[in-house]
Amino acid sequence: MALEAGLLEILACPACHAPLREETASEETPELLCESQSCGLAYPVRDGIPVLLVDEARRPA
Ligand SMILES: [Zn+2]
């Protein structure tokens, strides 16, 4: 499920305020990845709605 056009442009990582990019590595759970190298948190997208909560984010390996 693609996010609404333009939505990514206004979203930022709540932890570091870096831009986010959509990642669809998994078909079931698209994610928004923080573009900061030092942060890199991955936020889940549920039913097309980004969950921009640090507590919900997947931390990089
Ligand atoms: Zn970040």
Side-chain angles (χ1 to χ4, degrees), residues 13 15-18 34 36 39-41 43:
C13 174
C16 70
H17 303 114
C34 175
S36 168
C39 176
L41 289 177
Y43 299 89

Side-chain angles (χ1 to χ4, degrees), residues 1-39:
M1 182 184 304
L3 291 174
E4 193 173 326
L7 183 58
L8 276 178
E9 297 175 15
I10 62 172
L11 293 179
C13 174
C16 70
H17 303 114
L20 299 170
R21 64 179 169 84
E22 190 172 11
E23 180 71 49
T24 52
S26 165
E27 293 181 8
E28 294 182 2
T29 53
E31 294 178 319
L32 293 181
L33 287 186
C34 175
E35 292 198 337
S36 168
Q37 297 267 329
S38 59
C39 176

Side-chain angles (χ1 to χ4, degrees), residues 35-60:
E35 292 198 337
S36 168
Q37 297 267 329
S38 59
C39 176
L41 289 177
Y43 299 89
V45 179
R46 294 182 185 142
D47 298 328
I49 300 173
V51 181
L52 296 182
L53 298 173
V54 175
D55 287 347
E56 299 282 329
R58 184 173 59 79
R59 298 194 175 273

